[in-house]
Amino acid sequence: MSDDLSKRRPQDANKVNVNESWELDYWSKKFGVTKEKLKEAVKAVGTSAAAVQKHLGK
């Protein structure tokens, strides 16, 4: 089953996926950070959206 790229939100809103460009765009805009900053946060704390948000101080 492939991803439906017409969706503007991640299928799993609890996980930050930085491997899909459209999700990287979504999450970086949601948290108001650059894509690189988001990738660094995911590398530091994992893919949990709550953990990334806390790490970014948002």
Side-chain angles (χ1 to χ4, degrees), residues 16 18-19 24 33-45:
V16 177
V18 295
N19 298 314
L24 185 58
V33 297
T34 65
K35 293 174 185 176
E36 283 305 312
K37 183 96 170 163
L38 180 65
K39 286 180 182 179
E40 290 171 7
V42 169
K43 189 173 183 179
V45 298

Side-chain angles (χ1 to χ4, degrees), residues 9-54:
R9 299 184 120 162
Q11 286 189 4
D12 185 353
N14 296 316
K15 303 253 188 233
V16 177
N17 179 358
V18 295
N19 298 314
E20 292 284 345
S21 63
W22 66 274
E23 283 205 40
L24 185 58
D25 289 340
Y26 171 84
W27 288 109
S28 62
K29 287 177 186 171
K30 178 173 175 63
F31 293 134
V33 297
T34 65
K35 293 174 185 176
E36 283 305 312
K37 183 96 170 163
L38 180 65
K39 286 180 182 179
E40 290 171 7
V42 169
K43 189 173 183 179
V45 298
T47 61
S48 164
V52 170
Q53 184 175 18
K54 183 176 181 181

Side-chain angles (χ1 to χ4, degrees), residues 1-15:
M1 183 175 183
S2 63
D3 290 339
D4 181 355
L5 299 180
S6 67
K7 293 185 178 179
R8 296 197 169 255
R9 299 184 120 162
Q11 286 189 4
D12 185 353
N14 296 316
K15 303 253 188 233

